[in-house]
Amino acid sequence: MRRRRNGGRPTIADVAKRAGVSSITVSRALRDPERVSPQLRQQIEEAVRALDYVPDQHARALASARTDVVGVIIPSLTNNVFADVLRGIYDGLAQTSHQVQLGNSRYSPIEEERLLATFLSQRPAALIVAGIDQTARSRELLENAGCPVVQIMELGEGPVDMMVGFSHRAAGHLVTSHLVEAGYRRIGFLGARMDPRTQRRLEGYRAALMEAGLYDPDRVTATPTPSSVTLGRDLLRDLLARMPDTDAVFCINDDLALGALFECQSAALAVPDTIGIAGFNDLEMMAAAWPALTSVRTPRYEIGSRAVQMARAAIAGRRPAERVVDVGVELQVRASTMRRGSAQAPLQKAPVRAI
């Protein structure tokens, strides 16, 4: 037998022969399984497994100018927030021929530039990128990517291509306004890392308190240090040492809120009567804490899922008419901000427009 040019590996023609279909049908089934009948799909899948066939992505890229890879760049692999987003992305691609190539920018704009350059050299089918605060170089790379681009996790003017997320400023305003309505008047802010999304939550906090005539910059306690539960304890301890009359805190994430709760328990400060606590993202621990903690629920899984839907539609030539999707947020009001005598606030949804 003549030796195959690819070193003896089975080809798409071998799969087609074994499945009893044409090579074009095999190619179509591997690229877009939904375009092939279930019976043919099963025949082809059985042939692929029997032959241990692995598609040659480089050859496919040369033939089609694109691979079946969807590049995804997020700032953290350890943050539960992005774990939920990734679950939405992976589930959205589970029944397709597309594969995820994952990059972790570690909150570094320069690392994001490097990852974008690497991903684009491999001709991805689409790119999903967290955030809207790219450098000028990253923005240029995305604008000239030649493939669908979806920016996720927040909203902003002038999307590169498509965008799905929510207004962090509006969300910060929402939770701070709730604290005011619940009767708190000396409301502090606990922030960590202070990346652009966190800065916008701070803007919402500041705007809500200025509208109520309650803003005091001395009650803002923030650090570039990465967030943790222990840091939440430290930040609240520092705030109370400087401003002991503080009667509530808005924490920019749930780790800090949980740490603040632990500090209150250690210092025998009653929550919510002496001090109210609100977090952000509404991870599972917020409802399980005692007292249960108020938090802003962000639709992280939905963001990942919608980003995939938008990218797949654009890849197929059906670019969505709605290029910017605001998924909104919900305020989950729990015991940590329900003072005696104050009415329980109803579930609230952030406005679609940014404040």
Side-chain angles (χ1 to χ4, degrees):
M1 292 178 62
R2 185 174 62 184
R3 185 173 179 81
R4 297 192 184 109
R5 287 180 296 177
N6 62 1
R9 293 184 303 174
T11 66
I12 198 167
D14 296 324
V15 174
K17 182 177 180 180
R18 186 177 184 94
V21 298
S22 68
S23 295
I24 293 176
T25 301
V26 173
S27 178
R28 184 180 299 119
L30 295 177
R31 287 178 177 276
D32 193 352
E34 296 175 357
R35 296 180 59 194
V36 178
S37 69
Q39 181 180 353
L40 280 180
R41 194 184 312 156
Q42 182 177 354
Q43 291 175 223
I44 293 167
E45 289 174 353
E46 290 174 354
V48 166
R49 286 194 296 269
L51 295 172
D52 290 329
Y53 172 71
V54 178
D56 187 334
Q57 295 289 353
H58 292 291
R60 182 174 293 181
L62 290 173
S64 66
R66 290 288 154 199
T67 65
D68 285 338
V69 168
V70 174
V72 178
I73 299 178
I74 59 174
S76 173
L77 295 179
T78 58
N79 189 326
N80 286 332
V81 170
F82 293 102
D84 290 337
V85 174
L86 287 175
R87 189 163 54 87
I89 291 173
Y90 276 98
D91 286 354
L93 295 175
Q95 302 301 318
T96 75
S97 62
H98 294 99
Q99 299 293 322
V100 173
Q101 182 177 12
L102 184 60
N104 177 14
S105 69
R106 299 179 178 86
Y107 291 94
S108 167
I110 302 304
E111 178 66 9
E112 184 178 60
E113 285 184 15
R114 189 189 70 80
L115 287 169
L116 283 172
T118 299
F119 282 17
L120 289 172
S121 71
Q122 298 166 3
R123 299 177 178 177
L127 284 171
I128 298 174
V129 183
I132 60 174
D133 297 282
Q134 285 78 29
T135 64
R137 173 59 178 157
S138 290
R139 176 88 185 192
E140 181 182 8
L141 288 169
L142 291 172
E143 289 176 344
N144 296 296
C147 68
V149 174
V150 187
Q151 293 164 286
I152 62 171
M153 296 303 290
E154 57 184 316
L155 302 175
E157 296 181 358
V160 169
D161 184 5
M162 296 172 285
M163 186 179 291
V164 55
F166 58 90
S167 167
H168 289 257
R169 190 180 190 277
H173 190 283
L174 175 70
V175 66
T176 307
S177 296
H178 159 68
L179 292 172
V180 172
E181 292 165 4
Y184 298 102
R185 292 296 178 265
R186 297 175 296 279
I187 303 167
F189 176 93
L190 303 185
R193 194 183 288 280
M194 302 311 292
D195 59 88
R197 283 178 290 279
T198 299
Q199 294 281 359
R200 283 187 268 277
R201 293 172 202 171
L202 174 57
E203 290 174 8
Y205 157 88
R206 184 184 298 115
L209 290 185
M210 290 183 73
E211 290 168 11
L214 299 173
Y215 178 63
D216 182 349
D218 290 337
R219 296 193 193 277
V220 175
T221 302
T223 173
T225 303
S227 181
S228 69
V229 174
T230 300
L231 182 63
R233 291 195 65 171
D234 294 342
L235 291 177
L236 182 59
R237 188 181 300 124
D238 177 66
L239 173 61
L240 293 177
R242 293 183 295 103
M243 309 289 287
D245 62 341
T246 297
D247 63 358
V249 285
F250 166 37
C251 307
I252 57 94
N253 63 34
D254 293 342
D255 288 348
L256 296 186
L258 193 61
L261 176 63
F262 290 161
E263 177 59 23
C264 288
Q265 292 170 342
S266 176
L269 296 174
V271 177
D273 291 330
T274 301
I275 186 168
I277 301 174
F280 198 99
N281 284 314
D282 198 35
L283 301 179
E284 181 183 10
M285 60 192 178
M286 301 303 276
W290 183 258
L293 290 162
T294 292
S295 189
V296 176
R297 177 173 295 175
T298 55
R300 303 174 297 276
Y301 180 90
E302 181 185 350
I303 287 173
S305 179
R306 289 289 293 270
V308 167
Q309 293 174 21
M310 296 167 77
R312 289 187 63 197
I315 291 169
R318 302 186 301 272
R319 189 170 291 276
E322 189 179 7
R323 292 173 55 208
V324 177
V325 176
D326 186 348
V327 295
V329 297
E330 291 179 341
L331 180 61
Q332 300 295 312
V333 177
R334 300 191 178 97
S336 69
T337 59
M338 292 173 60
R339 275 177 154 174
R340 290 177 211 169
S342 66
Q344 180 175 0
L347 185 74
Q348 301 177 56
K349 193 171 182 71
V352 172
R353 58 178 175 79
I355 295 172

